[in-house]
């Protein structure tokens, strides 16, 4: 017995590429995300610089107060010694 002939047409293999519409859609989505993210990123940079400045200023304040107290104690002890 012979096998029956099939009437199926051969299927062309997929080309594996993207269409122009798909590529344009991806570019539009990336551009939209960049338009949203870049200003927020710039704002975060400004906030981090401000926080670093506040930290440095606080450190400077603590050190200057320490030096002022130390110098006052030194001057007080020196003048007490000289008055004797």
């Amino acid at each position: 017995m012979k096998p029956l002939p099939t009437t199926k047409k051969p299927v062309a293999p997929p080309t594996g590429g993207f269409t122009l519409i798909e590529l344009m859609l991806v570019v539009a989505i990336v551009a939209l995300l960049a338009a949203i993210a870049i200003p927020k990123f710039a704002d975060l940079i400004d906030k981090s610089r401000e926080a670093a400045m506040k930290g440095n200023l606080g450190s400077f304040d603590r050190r200057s107060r320490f030096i002022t107290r130390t110098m006052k104690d030194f001057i007080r002890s020196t003048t007490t010694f000289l008055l004797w």
Side-chain angles (χ1 to χ4, degrees):
M1 186 176 210
K2 283 184 172 181
L4 294 172
T6 59
T7 58
K8 291 184 179 179
K9 295 182 182 179
V11 177
T15 58
F18 295 105
T19 64
L20 182 61
I21 298 296
E22 291 171 334
L23 292 175
M24 290 177 67
L25 184 64
V26 169
V27 168
I29 291 171
V30 169
L32 180 66
L33 291 175
I36 292 171
I38 288 175
K40 290 187 184 245
F41 181 69
D43 189 39
L44 287 176
I45 291 173
D46 290 341
K47 285 182 181 180
S48 68
R49 286 182 181 158
E50 182 181 343
M53 256 190 273
K54 284 181 180 179
N56 290 338
L57 187 59
S59 175
F60 178 76
D61 182 50
R62 283 190 301 275
R63 289 179 183 179
S64 64
R65 287 175 192 255
F66 173 75
I67 290 171
T68 304
R69 275 195 313 264
T70 305
M71 290 304 294
K72 282 182 181 178
D73 291 343
F74 175 74
I75 291 170
R76 196 173 301 125
S77 66
T78 307
T79 56
T80 305
F81 176 73
L82 291 176
L83 292 176
W84 280 91

